[in-house]
Amino acid sequence: MSDRLNTDALDTQRAWTVGGSLVLLVVVLDAGAGGFLPDGGLVRALLLAAALVVFAVGVRGSGSVTALRPTGTIALCALATTLVVSWVVNATLLPMGGRLDAVVVVGQVILVLQFALALIAVERIGRLAVVPRPWNWAPAIAFGVIALLFAATAIASVMSRQMLEVFGYVAVTVNGIASVAALVVLGVLAIVLGDRAGRSSSPEAPTPEVDVERD
């Protein structure tokens, strides 16, 4: 029993450390490291997608932030897929002479799908509480802030030119800063919680609380 607990704790530590490190690599890429890579956009999408998959499935079943429940796990993996699909759409349709309005429509559909999948995923992460409380709601809070700022940016896009020049620039800038800050916080938090999970591998240590509700 003790060996099993130790193995689960170490696998959880590996999963959250790897996932958090991948998220922080995305931040580094956004900060300018993409200039040294053949295609920063594709690398960014792959890194973030890999992080989501690691958080979803864990290592040998341990460390899954959704407790491997179908709804949350599928939502995270599907969200990871849309990140790569979005890059493929932008990288193939426009260079091949695809109509700009068609590309915009496809991009908007993917964006709406991403928001829906992210909403499902953060709700499951919060409710299942595999991540220690109160940090289980950190992804939901980050998502909520980004969603509100994105809505503000969308509102700014339909304002008059004078208002757009002032408010629109501020909204886009704040949205970008908030997105980077959210990635940094979630990445660091995952690594810290992973380290804590690795330290609490004794049989007497408390195990993560998981809701028993059906998925």
Side-chain angles (χ1 to χ4, degrees):
M1 184 60 150
S2 177
D3 290 342
R4 177 60 180 174
L5 288 172
N6 288 335
T7 300
D8 289 346
L10 290 175
D11 285 344
T12 297
Q13 181 183 25
R14 294 188 185 102
W16 292 357
T17 300
V18 170
S21 298
L22 290 172
V23 171
L24 293 180
L25 280 176
V26 171
V27 176
V28 172
L29 195 63
D30 287 343
F36 300 99
L37 298 172
D39 195 324
L42 176 59
V43 174
R44 184 188 192 281
L46 291 175
L47 286 174
L48 196 51
L52 293 176
V53 172
V54 170
F55 284 132
V57 303
V59 174
R60 290 182 291 194
S62 298
S64 167
V65 296
T66 57
L68 293 179
R69 300 288 182 86
T71 302
T73 304
I74 292 173
L76 276 178
C77 292
L79 179 58
T81 302
T82 63
L83 295 174
V84 180
V85 170
S86 178
W87 179 88
V88 171
V89 169
N90 290 323
T92 58
L93 292 186
L94 284 177
M96 293 175 60
R99 293 179 56 187
L100 180 59
D101 54 351
V103 176
V104 170
V105 170
V106 173
Q108 290 176 338
V109 170
I110 293 177
L111 184 61
V112 171
L113 179 60
Q114 288 175 338
F115 266 80
L117 291 171
L119 179 60
I120 294 171
V122 298
E123 188 275 337
R124 290 288 81 197
I125 294 171
R127 291 290 295 276
L128 292 172
V130 174
V131 178
R133 301 178 188 273
W135 310 114
N136 53 313
W137 289 109
I141 294 172
F143 172 78
V145 171
I146 292 174
L148 287 175
L149 291 174
F150 183 85
T153 304
I155 293 173
S157 67
V158 298
M159 289 182 174
S160 64
R161 179 177 297 274
Q162 292 78 9
M163 287 293 294
L164 181 59
E165 290 177 352
V166 178
F167 181 75
Y169 175 77
V170 173
V172 171
T173 302
V174 173
N175 193 10
I177 294 174
S179 298
V180 173
L183 289 176
V184 171
V185 171
L186 294 178
V188 171
L189 182 61
I191 294 174
V192 171
L193 293 178
D195 179 69
R196 182 183 297 179
R199 294 173 183 272
S200 60
S201 57
S202 65
E204 293 79 13
T207 55
E209 177 185 353
V210 180
D211 286 356
V212 295
E213 64 174 289
R214 292 184 179 275
D215 200 6

